Amino acid sequence: FDKAIANYEKLLTINIKPEITERFGYSLDQAFVNLGVSYLATENNAKACNSFKKVGDKTNFKVRNYLINFCK
């Protein structure tokens, strides 16, 4: 998971237009979710919650359960 975190952090520092990532079937939201899950796996809940919150709040079903279960 540490290698995944390093790679996702690199990906998210690049200024990529959303329409380009979506054309390839991948969204930045999914990158933030994957990064958050990787942070959870390494017991870094604070960073995981920050990553999930970049996708949305408890009304966004992509991250709702993560926010409810891991973020206080």
Side-chain angles (χ1 to χ4, degrees):
F1 287 102
D2 291 325
K3 288 182 182 181
I5 289 170
N7 287 326
Y8 279 117
E9 286 177 341
K10 285 182 201 175
L11 172 69
L12 297 174
T13 62
I14 300 170
N15 188 14
I16 304 171
K17 294 180 182 179
E19 58 271 11
I20 292 173
T21 59
E22 290 169 5
R23 182 169 39 153
F24 294 104
Y26 197 83
S27 72
L28 290 178
D29 285 354
Q30 189 60 48
F32 281 116
V33 171
N34 292 351
L35 177 60
V37 170
S38 297
Y39 281 136
L40 287 177
T42 59
E43 299 181 11
N44 196 335
N45 285 26
K47 285 187 176 182
C49 292
N50 287 336
S51 186
F52 296 137
K53 288 176 184 174
K54 289 181 181 179
V55 176
D57 58 16
K58 292 179 184 175
T59 62
N60 184 316
F61 285 104
K62 288 182 182 179
V63 292
R64 182 177 192 274
N65 288 331
Y66 293 117
L67 293 172
I68 289 171
N69 292 310
F70 299 104
C71 305
K72 303 295 178 199

